[in-house]
């Protein structure tokens, strides 16, 4: 006896071999009905099965194929299920009735709706659509233009936009105030003109500005002067006395205080200096050295030579 047989004989309980299920289909008509029953595997007595007979499953006679083919309903409603079924049927009937009423109302509304006549269809320009002759199209265009012109003439100022101010916007969509922009442009132009005038004024000398201001004062005072000025006019005599003449024989006898300052208030140069075309004296800091190219000297020499030749020519003509 082997060890496995010994252990199985004395210590183990051999399980019964499971029955092999047949893969063959059951023949039809073997059982007259579908029976569901529990085997008495635990060894309970038959009295217990009899007590539980009322709670057991319901056995339906006949096979399953006949049960499916039967048209009559063999199911029975037990208890309060009948009341719920009647309530559901009433709700379903009410829903069907409301749907039918809505459909009938929709059909009636469609019947009463006005029909669309395709002959009156017009495009965006107001001309009737469809196949037409050239004369009809021309007449319709003329009539549409007349209606548009009459509507435009009868429209008010707000609708036609007549007399309304144009609204300008910048790139971001903000409204541009034209009055403010014009004022800013005008102010900028005035500033540019004032700046140009200041630059031009800065280019002029101090003596010229003082002379111009003095000339304005003289013109303002001339408003109150008489038309005719005689020899006894004191202002005229003082003005003539202040002028220096190179050929005045009595210039040496006149006691005249020399000016030590210029018109602008700066000191004057009192030493000798080379004359120039404009009569401008050198500054009071000049050291007496002529650093020019000699043009002024040649200019005056040419002027004197031309004048001398003219006088000699006139003298020779008189001698002849």
């Amino acid at each position: 006896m082997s060890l496995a047989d010994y252990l199985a004989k004395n210590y183990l309980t051999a399980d019964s071999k499971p029955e092999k299920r047949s893969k063959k289909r059951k023949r039809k008509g073997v059982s007259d009905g579908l029976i569901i029953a529990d085997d008495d595997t635990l060894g309970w007595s038959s009295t217990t099965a009899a007590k539980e007979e009322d709670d057991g499953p319901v056995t339906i006679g006949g096979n399953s194929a006949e049960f499916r083919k039967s048209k009559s309903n063999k199911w029975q409603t037990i208890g309060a299920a009948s009341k719920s079924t009647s309530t559901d049927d009433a709700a379903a009937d009410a829903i069907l009735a409301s749907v039918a009423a809505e459909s009938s109302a929709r059909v009636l509304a469609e019947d009463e709706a006005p029909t669309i006549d395709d002959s009156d269809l017009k495009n965006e320009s107001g001309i009737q659509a469809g196949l037409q002759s050239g004369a009809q199209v021309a007449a319709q265009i003329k009539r549409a233009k007349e209606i548009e012109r009459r509507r435009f003439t009868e429209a008010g100022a707000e609708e036609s936009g007549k007399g309304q101010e144009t609204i300008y916007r910048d790139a971001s969509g903000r409204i541009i105030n034209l009055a403010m922009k014009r004022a800013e442009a005008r102010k900028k132009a005035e500033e540019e003109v004032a700046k140009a005038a200041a630059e031009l004024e800065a280019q002029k000398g101090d003596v010229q500005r003082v002379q111009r201001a003095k000339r304005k004062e003289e013109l303002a005072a001339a408003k109150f002067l008489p038309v005719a000025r005689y020899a006894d006019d004191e202002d005229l005599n003082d003005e003539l006395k202040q002028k220096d003449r190179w050929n005045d024989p009595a210039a040496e006898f006149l006691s005249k205080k020399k000016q030590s300052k210029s018109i602008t208030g700066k000191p004057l140069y009192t030493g000798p200096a080379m004359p120039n075309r404009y009569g401008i004296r050198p500054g009071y800091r000049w050291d007496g050295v002529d650093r020019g190219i000699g043009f002024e000297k040649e200019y005056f020499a040419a002027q004197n030579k031309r004048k001398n030749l003219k006088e000699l020519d006139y003298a020779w003509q008189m001698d002849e």
Side-chain angles (χ1 to χ4, degrees):
M1 180 182 296
S2 62
L3 180 60
D5 295 337
Y6 177 78
L7 294 174
K9 180 180 179 182
N10 295 309
Y11 300 97
L12 300 176
T13 302
D15 296 332
S16 61
K17 296 182 179 180
E19 296 180 358
K20 294 182 179 179
R21 295 181 181 180
S22 177
K23 295 183 179 179
K24 295 182 180 180
R25 297 181 179 178
K26 295 181 179 181
R27 296 179 182 179
K28 296 181 179 180
V30 175
S31 61
D32 295 335
L34 179 62
I35 301 172
I36 300 174
D38 295 332
D39 296 336
D40 188 10
T41 55
L42 300 178
W44 295 95
S45 61
S46 61
T47 57
T48 306
K51 292 179 181 180
E52 294 178 356
E53 184 176 0
D54 296 335
D55 298 334
V58 180
T59 304
I60 301 173
N63 54 13
S64 60
E66 293 177 356
F67 175 74
R68 288 195 299 270
K69 290 180 180 179
S70 63
K71 296 182 180 180
S72 60
N73 188 5
K74 295 182 180 181
W75 295 94
Q76 296 180 1
T77 304
I78 301 172
S82 60
K83 295 181 180 180
S84 63
T85 305
S86 61
T87 305
D88 295 340
D89 294 342
D93 294 340
I95 293 171
L96 292 176
S98 63
V99 172
E102 289 178 0
S103 61
S104 61
R106 190 183 302 108
V107 172
L108 183 61
E110 291 178 356
D111 294 339
E112 293 178 356
T115 57
I116 299 174
D117 189 4
D118 296 339
S119 61
D120 295 336
L121 292 178
K122 296 182 180 180
N123 51 23
E124 295 180 356
S125 61
I127 301 174
Q128 185 177 355
L131 184 61
Q132 302 177 58
S133 63
Q136 293 176 350
V137 173
Q140 290 181 14
I141 292 174
K142 185 178 180 181
R143 184 165 56 255
K145 287 183 178 180
E146 291 178 355
I147 294 172
E148 182 69 18
R149 187 183 299 106
R150 185 167 56 256
R151 187 183 66 81
F152 183 77
T153 53
E154 294 176 357
E158 296 182 357
E159 184 178 355
S160 62
K162 185 178 181 180
Q164 299 294 331
E165 186 177 359
T166 306
I167 298 176
Y168 297 92
R169 299 180 183 272
D170 56 5
S172 61
R174 293 178 297 182
I175 298 176
I176 300 174
N177 192 348
L178 294 181
M180 186 180 298
K181 289 293 183 181
R182 292 193 186 99
E184 292 178 357
R186 192 181 305 108
K187 183 178 180 182
K188 186 176 180 181
E190 291 176 356
E191 290 178 356
E192 291 179 355
V193 172
K195 185 178 180 181
E199 292 178 355
L200 183 62
E201 189 70 19
Q203 295 175 1
K204 297 179 181 179
D206 297 337
V207 177
Q208 284 80 8
R209 284 197 292 270
V210 173
Q211 289 178 354
R212 186 169 60 253
K214 187 177 180 181
R215 180 62 178 170
K216 287 182 179 179
E217 292 177 0
E218 291 176 356
L219 291 175
K223 296 179 182 179
F224 306 101
L225 294 177
V227 178
R229 302 182 71 179
Y230 299 97
D232 57 350
D233 193 346
E234 295 181 359
D235 295 335
L236 179 60
N237 291 329
D238 293 338
E239 184 180 354
L240 294 176
K241 288 178 181 180
Q242 290 177 1
K243 290 183 179 180
D244 293 334
R245 297 174 178 83
W246 66 273
N247 56 354
D248 188 3
E252 297 179 359
F253 305 103
L254 296 175
S255 60
K256 189 175 182 181
K257 187 177 179 181
K258 294 184 179 180
Q259 295 179 355
S260 60
K261 291 184 178 181
S262 64
I263 300 175
T264 58
K266 295 180 180 180
L268 292 174
Y269 180 76
T270 57
M274 184 68 67
N276 53 62
R277 292 170 290 172
Y278 306 104
I280 300 174
R281 300 172 65 178
Y284 68 97
R285 293 190 179 93
W286 185 49
D287 57 358
V289 179
D290 187 6
R291 294 176 178 84
I293 59 175
F295 177 78
E296 298 293 334
K297 183 178 180 180
E298 293 179 0
Y299 174 79
F300 283 110
Q303 292 289 334
N304 295 333
K305 184 179 180 180
R306 188 181 300 110
K307 187 176 181 181
N308 291 335
L309 290 176
K310 187 176 180 180
E311 292 178 356
L312 289 174
D313 187 15
Y314 178 74
W316 279 104
Q317 290 179 2
M318 294 300 294
D319 290 342
E320 295 178 353

